[in-house]
Short mmCIF file of all heavy atoms in Angstrom, two decimals:
data_model
loop_
_atom_site.label_atom_id
_atom_site.label_comp_id
_atom_site.label_asym_id
_atom_site.label_seq_id
_atom_site.Cartn_x
_atom_site.Cartn_y
_atom_site.Cartn_z
N SER B 131 8.91 -4.08 12.47
CA SER B 131 8.34 -3.71 13.78
C SER B 131 6.92 -3.19 13.68
O SER B 131 6.19 -3.18 14.67
CB SER B 131 9.23 -2.64 14.45
OG SER B 131 9.21 -1.42 13.72
N VAL B 132 6.49 -2.76 12.52
CA VAL B 132 5.12 -2.26 12.31
C VAL B 132 4.52 -2.91 11.08
O VAL B 132 5.14 -2.91 10.01
CB VAL B 132 5.10 -0.73 12.12
CG1 VAL B 132 3.65 -0.25 11.95
CG2 VAL B 132 5.76 -0.01 13.27
N GLY B 133 3.34 -3.47 11.23
CA GLY B 133 2.60 -3.94 10.06
C GLY B 133 3.12 -5.22 9.45
O GLY B 133 2.77 -5.54 8.31
N GLY B 134 3.87 -6.02 10.20
CA GLY B 134 4.32 -7.31 9.71
C GLY B 134 4.94 -7.21 8.33
O GLY B 134 5.93 -6.51 8.14
N GLY B 135 4.35 -7.87 7.34
CA GLY B 135 4.91 -7.90 6.00
C GLY B 135 4.64 -6.67 5.16
O GLY B 135 5.21 -6.53 4.08
N ILE B 136 3.77 -5.77 5.63
CA ILE B 136 3.45 -4.59 4.83
C ILE B 136 4.61 -3.61 4.83
O ILE B 136 5.07 -3.22 5.90
CB ILE B 136 2.22 -3.84 5.42
CG1 ILE B 136 1.06 -4.79 5.65
CG2 ILE B 136 1.83 -2.68 4.53
CD1 ILE B 136 -0.08 -4.14 6.45
N PRO B 137 5.09 -3.23 3.66
CA PRO B 137 6.13 -2.19 3.65
C PRO B 137 5.53 -0.87 4.14
O PRO B 137 4.59 -0.37 3.55
CB PRO B 137 6.51 -2.09 2.17
CG PRO B 137 6.00 -3.35 1.53
CD PRO B 137 4.80 -3.72 2.33
N ILE B 138 6.07 -0.35 5.26
CA ILE B 138 5.55 0.95 5.72
C ILE B 138 6.67 1.82 6.30
O ILE B 138 6.69 3.01 6.08
CB ILE B 138 4.36 0.79 6.71
CG1 ILE B 138 3.84 2.17 7.11
CG2 ILE B 138 4.75 -0.02 7.92
CD1 ILE B 138 3.30 2.95 5.97
N ILE B 139 7.63 1.20 6.97
CA ILE B 139 8.74 1.99 7.51
C ILE B 139 9.57 2.58 6.35
O ILE B 139 9.85 3.77 6.34
CB ILE B 139 9.64 1.08 8.39
CG1 ILE B 139 8.85 0.46 9.53
CG2 ILE B 139 10.85 1.86 8.92
CD1 ILE B 139 8.31 1.41 10.53
N SER B 140 9.91 1.73 5.42
CA SER B 140 10.72 2.21 4.29
C SER B 140 9.93 3.18 3.41
O SER B 140 10.47 4.24 3.05
CB SER B 140 11.23 0.99 3.52
OG SER B 140 11.66 1.32 2.25
N PRO B 141 8.66 2.92 3.07
CA PRO B 141 7.92 3.95 2.31
C PRO B 141 7.83 5.29 3.03
O PRO B 141 7.96 6.33 2.39
CB PRO B 141 6.52 3.31 2.15
CG PRO B 141 6.81 1.85 2.08
CD PRO B 141 7.94 1.63 3.07
N LEU B 142 7.63 5.27 4.37
CA LEU B 142 7.60 6.55 5.09
C LEU B 142 8.97 7.22 5.08
O LEU B 142 9.10 8.44 4.97
CB LEU B 142 7.15 6.36 6.52
CG LEU B 142 5.65 6.38 6.81
CD1 LEU B 142 5.37 6.04 8.27
CD2 LEU B 142 5.02 7.73 6.47
N SER B 143 10.02 6.41 5.20
CA SER B 143 11.38 6.96 5.29
C SER B 143 11.86 7.48 3.95
O SER B 143 12.62 8.45 3.89
CB SER B 143 12.38 5.90 5.74
OG SER B 143 11.92 5.18 6.84
N ARG B 144 11.45 6.82 2.88
CA ARG B 144 12.01 7.15 1.58
C ARG B 144 10.96 7.64 0.59
O ARG B 144 11.09 8.71 0.04
CB ARG B 144 12.68 5.89 1.00
CG ARG B 144 13.37 6.13 -0.32
CD ARG B 144 13.37 4.93 -1.24
NE ARG B 144 13.99 5.27 -2.52
CZ ARG B 144 13.33 5.84 -3.53
NH1 ARG B 144 12.06 6.13 -3.43
NH2 ARG B 144 13.95 6.13 -4.65
N ASP B 145 9.92 6.80 0.35
CA ASP B 145 9.04 7.05 -0.78
C ASP B 145 8.10 8.23 -0.57
O ASP B 145 7.60 8.80 -1.53
CB ASP B 145 8.22 5.81 -1.09
CG ASP B 145 9.12 4.61 -1.30
OD1 ASP B 145 10.11 4.75 -2.04
OD2 ASP B 145 8.84 3.54 -0.72
N LEU B 146 7.84 8.59 0.68
CA LEU B 146 6.96 9.72 0.94
C LEU B 146 7.73 10.88 1.55
O LEU B 146 7.15 11.85 2.05
CB LEU B 146 5.83 9.26 1.88
CG LEU B 146 4.95 8.16 1.29
CD1 LEU B 146 4.00 7.59 2.32
CD2 LEU B 146 4.16 8.65 0.09
N LEU B 147 9.06 10.81 1.47
CA LEU B 147 9.90 11.78 2.15
C LEU B 147 9.75 13.20 1.61
O LEU B 147 10.01 14.18 2.32
CB LEU B 147 11.38 11.36 2.05
CG LEU B 147 12.39 12.14 2.88
CD1 LEU B 147 12.04 12.09 4.37
CD2 LEU B 147 13.80 11.64 2.64
N ALA B 148 9.27 13.35 0.39
CA ALA B 148 9.10 14.70 -0.18
C ALA B 148 7.87 15.38 0.42
O ALA B 148 7.71 16.59 0.27
CB ALA B 148 8.97 14.62 -1.69
N ASN B 149 7.01 14.61 1.09
CA ASN B 149 5.77 15.17 1.64
C ASN B 149 5.94 15.75 3.02
O ASN B 149 6.77 15.29 3.82
CB ASN B 149 4.71 14.06 1.75
CG ASN B 149 4.17 13.62 0.42
OD1 ASN B 149 3.14 14.12 -0.03
ND2 ASN B 149 4.89 12.72 -0.24
N GLU B 150 5.11 16.75 3.34
CA GLU B 150 4.83 17.07 4.72
C GLU B 150 3.68 16.14 5.08
O GLU B 150 2.55 16.32 4.60
CB GLU B 150 4.42 18.55 4.83
CG GLU B 150 4.56 19.11 6.20
CD GLU B 150 6.01 19.21 6.65
OE1 GLU B 150 6.85 19.64 5.87
OE2 GLU B 150 6.29 18.83 7.80
N VAL B 151 3.96 15.12 5.86
CA VAL B 151 2.89 14.17 6.21
C VAL B 151 1.99 14.85 7.23
O VAL B 151 2.47 15.41 8.22
CB VAL B 151 3.45 12.85 6.75
CG1 VAL B 151 2.33 11.94 7.24
CG2 VAL B 151 4.26 12.14 5.68
N THR B 152 0.68 14.80 7.00
CA THR B 152 -0.27 15.48 7.90
C THR B 152 -0.98 14.50 8.81
O THR B 152 -1.43 14.87 9.89
CB THR B 152 -1.29 16.28 7.09
OG1 THR B 152 -1.86 15.41 6.09
CG2 THR B 152 -0.65 17.45 6.39
N ALA B 153 -1.12 13.26 8.39
CA ALA B 153 -1.85 12.30 9.22
C ALA B 153 -1.42 10.87 8.87
O ALA B 153 -1.17 10.55 7.70
CB ALA B 153 -3.35 12.45 9.04
N VAL B 154 -1.36 10.03 9.89
CA VAL B 154 -1.20 8.61 9.73
C VAL B 154 -2.34 7.95 10.48
O VAL B 154 -2.56 8.25 11.67
CB VAL B 154 0.12 8.12 10.34
CG1 VAL B 154 0.23 6.60 10.26
CG2 VAL B 154 1.31 8.77 9.64
N THR B 155 -3.09 7.10 9.79
CA THR B 155 -4.26 6.44 10.41
C THR B 155 -4.15 4.96 10.09
O THR B 155 -4.03 4.61 8.90
CB THR B 155 -5.57 7.02 9.85
OG1 THR B 155 -5.45 8.42 9.70
CG2 THR B 155 -6.73 6.67 10.74
N ALA B 156 -4.21 4.12 11.11
CA ALA B 156 -3.85 2.74 10.83
C ALA B 156 -4.63 1.74 11.68
O ALA B 156 -5.06 2.04 12.79
CB ALA B 156 -2.36 2.54 11.07
N ILE B 157 -4.79 0.58 11.08
CA ILE B 157 -5.24 -0.60 11.83
C ILE B 157 -4.00 -1.48 11.91
O ILE B 157 -3.59 -2.08 10.91
CB ILE B 157 -6.39 -1.30 11.09
CG1 ILE B 157 -7.61 -0.36 11.10
CG2 ILE B 157 -6.70 -2.65 11.74
CD1 ILE B 157 -8.75 -0.86 10.22
N ILE B 158 -3.36 -1.50 13.09
CA ILE B 158 -2.06 -2.17 13.18
C ILE B 158 -2.01 -3.20 14.30
O ILE B 158 -0.95 -3.49 14.83
CB ILE B 158 -0.90 -1.15 13.37
CG1 ILE B 158 -1.33 -0.01 14.30
CG2 ILE B 158 -0.42 -0.63 12.05
CD1 ILE B 158 -0.21 0.99 14.59
N ASN B 159 -3.18 -3.70 14.64
CA ASN B 159 -3.16 -4.84 15.58
C ASN B 159 -4.16 -5.87 15.06
O ASN B 159 -5.38 -5.66 15.10
CB ASN B 159 -3.54 -4.39 17.00
CG ASN B 159 -3.53 -5.55 17.98
OD1 ASN B 159 -4.51 -6.26 18.12
ND2 ASN B 159 -2.39 -5.79 18.61
N GLY B 160 -3.61 -6.96 14.56
CA GLY B 160 -4.45 -7.98 13.91
C GLY B 160 -5.39 -8.68 14.88
O GLY B 160 -6.53 -9.02 14.53
N THR B 161 -4.92 -8.90 16.11
CA THR B 161 -5.73 -9.59 17.12
C THR B 161 -7.05 -8.86 17.34
O THR B 161 -8.15 -9.44 17.26
CB THR B 161 -4.96 -9.67 18.45
OG1 THR B 161 -3.70 -10.30 18.20
CG2 THR B 161 -5.74 -10.46 19.48
N THR B 162 -6.92 -7.57 17.66
CA THR B 162 -8.13 -6.81 17.95
C THR B 162 -9.00 -6.62 16.69
O THR B 162 -10.22 -6.61 16.78
CB THR B 162 -7.81 -5.43 18.56
OG1 THR B 162 -6.81 -4.82 17.75
CG2 THR B 162 -7.29 -5.60 19.97
N ASN B 163 -8.34 -6.49 15.53
CA ASN B 163 -9.17 -6.32 14.32
C ASN B 163 -9.94 -7.59 14.02
O ASN B 163 -11.09 -7.53 13.57
CB ASN B 163 -8.30 -5.90 13.12
CG ASN B 163 -9.13 -5.21 12.04
OD1 ASN B 163 -9.92 -4.30 12.37
ND2 ASN B 163 -9.02 -5.64 10.82
N TYR B 164 -9.32 -8.73 14.28
CA TYR B 164 -10.04 -9.99 14.14
C TYR B 164 -11.25 -10.00 15.08
O TYR B 164 -12.39 -10.35 14.70
CB TYR B 164 -9.12 -11.18 14.46
CG TYR B 164 -9.88 -12.49 14.49
CD1 TYR B 164 -10.12 -13.18 13.31
CD2 TYR B 164 -10.38 -13.00 15.69
CE1 TYR B 164 -10.86 -14.35 13.31
CE2 TYR B 164 -11.12 -14.17 15.70
CZ TYR B 164 -11.36 -14.85 14.51
OH TYR B 164 -12.09 -16.00 14.53
N MET B 165 -11.04 -9.59 16.32
CA MET B 165 -12.12 -9.64 17.32
C MET B 165 -13.24 -8.66 16.96
O MET B 165 -14.42 -9.00 17.03
CB MET B 165 -11.56 -9.30 18.72
CG MET B 165 -10.63 -10.42 19.25
SD MET B 165 -9.79 -9.93 20.80
CE MET B 165 -11.19 -9.67 21.89
N LEU B 166 -12.87 -7.43 16.56
CA LEU B 166 -13.89 -6.43 16.22
C LEU B 166 -14.67 -6.86 14.99
O LEU B 166 -15.89 -6.64 14.91
CB LEU B 166 -13.25 -5.06 15.99
CG LEU B 166 -12.49 -4.44 17.18
CD1 LEU B 166 -12.01 -3.04 16.85
CD2 LEU B 166 -13.37 -4.40 18.43
N THR B 167 -13.96 -7.49 14.03
CA THR B 167 -14.67 -7.97 12.84
C THR B 167 -15.67 -9.04 13.22
O THR B 167 -16.81 -9.05 12.74
CB THR B 167 -13.64 -8.55 11.83
OG1 THR B 167 -12.68 -7.52 11.52
CG2 THR B 167 -14.33 -8.96 10.53
N ALA B 168 -15.27 -9.95 14.11
CA ALA B 168 -16.19 -11.01 14.54
C ALA B 168 -17.38 -10.43 15.27
O ALA B 168 -18.52 -10.85 15.07
CB ALA B 168 -15.43 -12.00 15.44
N MET B 169 -17.14 -9.44 16.13
CA MET B 169 -18.25 -8.82 16.87
C MET B 169 -19.21 -8.13 15.87
O MET B 169 -20.44 -8.21 16.03
CB MET B 169 -17.72 -7.79 17.88
CG MET B 169 -17.00 -8.43 19.07
SD MET B 169 -16.36 -7.22 20.29
CE MET B 169 -17.87 -6.85 21.24
N ALA B 170 -18.65 -7.50 14.85
CA ALA B 170 -19.51 -6.80 13.88
C ALA B 170 -20.29 -7.76 13.02
O ALA B 170 -21.47 -7.58 12.77
CB ALA B 170 -18.64 -5.89 12.99
N GLN B 171 -19.63 -8.84 12.59
CA GLN B 171 -20.28 -9.71 11.61
C GLN B 171 -21.22 -10.70 12.26
O GLN B 171 -22.17 -11.16 11.63
CB GLN B 171 -19.22 -10.44 10.77
CG GLN B 171 -18.44 -9.49 9.85
CD GLN B 171 -17.35 -10.18 9.05
OE1 GLN B 171 -16.99 -11.33 9.35
NE2 GLN B 171 -16.79 -9.49 8.07
N ARG B 172 -20.93 -11.06 13.51
CA ARG B 172 -21.73 -12.13 14.12
C ARG B 172 -22.52 -11.68 15.34
O ARG B 172 -23.21 -12.45 15.95
CB ARG B 172 -20.81 -13.28 14.53
CG ARG B 172 -20.23 -13.98 13.29
CD ARG B 172 -19.48 -15.23 13.70
NE ARG B 172 -18.04 -15.05 13.60
CZ ARG B 172 -17.17 -15.38 14.56
NH1 ARG B 172 -17.62 -15.88 15.72
NH2 ARG B 172 -15.89 -15.20 14.40
N GLY B 173 -22.39 -10.39 15.68
CA GLY B 173 -23.14 -9.91 16.84
C GLY B 173 -22.69 -10.54 18.16
O GLY B 173 -23.41 -10.55 19.14
N SER B 174 -21.46 -11.08 18.15
CA SER B 174 -20.97 -11.74 19.36
C SER B 174 -20.58 -10.70 20.39
O SER B 174 -20.37 -9.54 20.10
CB SER B 174 -19.72 -12.56 19.04
OG SER B 174 -19.90 -13.27 17.85
N ASP B 175 -20.47 -11.16 21.65
CA ASP B 175 -19.99 -10.23 22.69
C ASP B 175 -18.48 -10.36 22.87
O ASP B 175 -17.84 -11.27 22.34
CB ASP B 175 -20.75 -10.43 24.00
CG ASP B 175 -20.47 -11.78 24.62
OD1 ASP B 175 -19.63 -12.54 24.08
OD2 ASP B 175 -21.11 -12.09 25.64
#
Side-chain angles (χ1 to χ4, degrees):
Chain B
S131 66
V132 182
I136 309 170
I138 182 63
I139 302 296
S140 163
L142 272 175
S143 313
R144 183 211 178 276
D145 305 314
L146 299 170
L147 189 59
N149 288 265
E150 199 67 45
V151 174
T152 51
V154 175
T155 320
I157 294 172
I158 39 177
N159 181 274
T161 304
T162 48
N163 203 48
Y164 173 84
M165 291 172 62
L166 299 185
T167 304
M169 290 180 80
Q171 292 177 348
R172 292 188 254 131
S174 317
D175 65 5

